[in-house]
Amino acid sequence: MFRFFPKLLQRCKGKKKPPAKEDDMGGICCHSKEAAAKKEEPAIHFSNVQEEEQIVHSCIIGIALYPLNSPNRFLLSFERGDKLIIEDESDPDWYMARHMNEERRGFAPKSYLTLDRYAGEENWFFGDTNRADAERLLLQPENEPGAFLVRHSHAQGSYALSVKDIDHNSNEVLIRHYKIRTLDRGGFFISPRKPFATLKDLVTYYFNSDGLCRRLEQPCFRSRPAILGPLPNSRDEYEVPFESLQFVRTLGKGNFGEVFYGFWNGTVEVAIKRLVSNGVQTDEFRREVAVMKAICHPKIVRLYAICTEKEPFCIVMEYMCNGNLQHYLKTDLGKKLRLPSLVNISAQIADGMTYLESNNMIHRDLAARNILVGDGGIVKLADFGLARIMDEAVYVASGGKLPIKWTAPEAYTTMEFTIKSDVWSFGIVLYEIFTHGGTPYSGLKNAQVSQLITKQDYRMPKPSDPDCTDPVYEIMLMCWKKDPKDRPTFEFLYHFFTDFPVTSEASYREAD
């Protein structure tokens, strides 16, 4: 069971252990007689009290940011503010932890805990959130000017204060970032003339006093993060039984069948893509699975498992609560997104595509409908049903329907796809984003679009939406260059939107 936790196994080395026994979730763990009789908690036991005390003093302490109560016996339940001893942190998504004053232990999602003892219990503290994600969170419509958060800075041992502001001259939304420095003798300050004993004292002061771009008003809105699966003791269970899937409601229909919201093993929220039996080849299904399994990036929807024991086959994926980007941009919340948020969305998409570009992959169906939106404005690439891991730089399609309005002209005329044809599609996605879900080539049929582009070098004019600035439209035109070699790389596009003026160093100012 704990093969994903090498540090914990190393601690147990040298102890007398009973024979290995397979647990009922497919893992191998060490069971004592007591553990065999008491299956409600993972079987980890210390040889004596002295050894346990030594581990307590050497362990990292985690503080719960959110409560967690789950019937899954391998998950540790806790309340907000509980202090947990981290016994192992080697898994990318989970801690092995136990309550400080209790024997209960189990897996705890890393996104639910903070390891910072100075500010871990404060609702304005966002831990290891980086600068780009801080801006994404603060730019959400739920946050009014004056919303703020404190986070770790890239400089070890220091912090940063991020505040949502409005430029009174241009009415432009800005995110200001302030460095919080530490004193050698202890304490924190933004201005050296005003040090504070604690981070809480610093935040309280700027709630009530000037000195920053504006007074702090309220902590950044924080939604409870999803529990990402699978658990470490079941991660190798790539093929899962149908009975482990719970179908709750239909989310929609796609090229391969229906998509449902549900649960896997009664704990993890998932989207379940259930393939239609009619007209879908097994090879087509396995192709999608093979690509998704190989992909691991925070801006790409994760594949958890598959179920092929009976038809229709199922793909179990990460659930994104706000649906696809095309629909989201047309909602009341989506219509409120202004230039900084739209730029941030573009940067996230380019980030995911940069990963594909660097790993010699193509998407082939990049469109707002195939980009999913989660809490806090996070977006991720999805639907790799047409994607391929390429052995060469060019993939030649064998046929099938193509979304002409999103497809590069060389792709639908020669059926050759490269990462540069994805760049063309990204330009169309930018059009969708900066028109708040507008339809590209509105009023034109596919045949007309193809004729205009290939014969007349037609390109869509600059959208009238005020959030589509000249620099953004220039990037669209770069993506639509006739010669694929003249189009930018996704790495360039990612840095362009990440360093866009509204979120660049020009927005930073030190406190007086």
Side-chain angles (χ1 to χ4, degrees), residues 487-502:
R487 298 169 196 162
T489 64
F490 278 110
E491 183 179 13
F492 170 86
L493 293 165
Y494 168 68
H495 287 296
F496 173 84
F497 285 108
T498 301
D499 299 331
F500 201 78
V502 75

Side-chain angles (χ1 to χ4, degrees), residues 476-495:
M476 291 183 196
L477 293 177
M478 289 176 64
C479 293
W480 299 333
K481 291 284 188 180
K482 184 175 183 179
D483 189 338
K485 296 191 296 294
D486 294 334
R487 298 169 196 162
T489 64
F490 278 110
E491 183 179 13
F492 170 86
L493 293 165
Y494 168 68
H495 287 296

Side-chain angles (χ1 to χ4, degrees), residues 2 17 30 71 74 117 127 139 148 152 163 176 188 221 261 263 286-287 321 371 398 407 409-410 437 454 472 474 493:
F2 300 105
K17 296 182 284 187
C30 300
F74 291 98
R117 302 188 189 190
L139 286 170
F148 72 97
H152 288 132
V163 187
R176 312 281 192 180
F188 308 88
F221 176 79
Y261 166 76
F263 290 89
R286 296 194 184 282
R287 181 181 68 222
C321 64
I371 296 163
S398 59
T407 304
E410 75 276 4
T454 57
V472 170
E474 288 169 9
L493 293 165

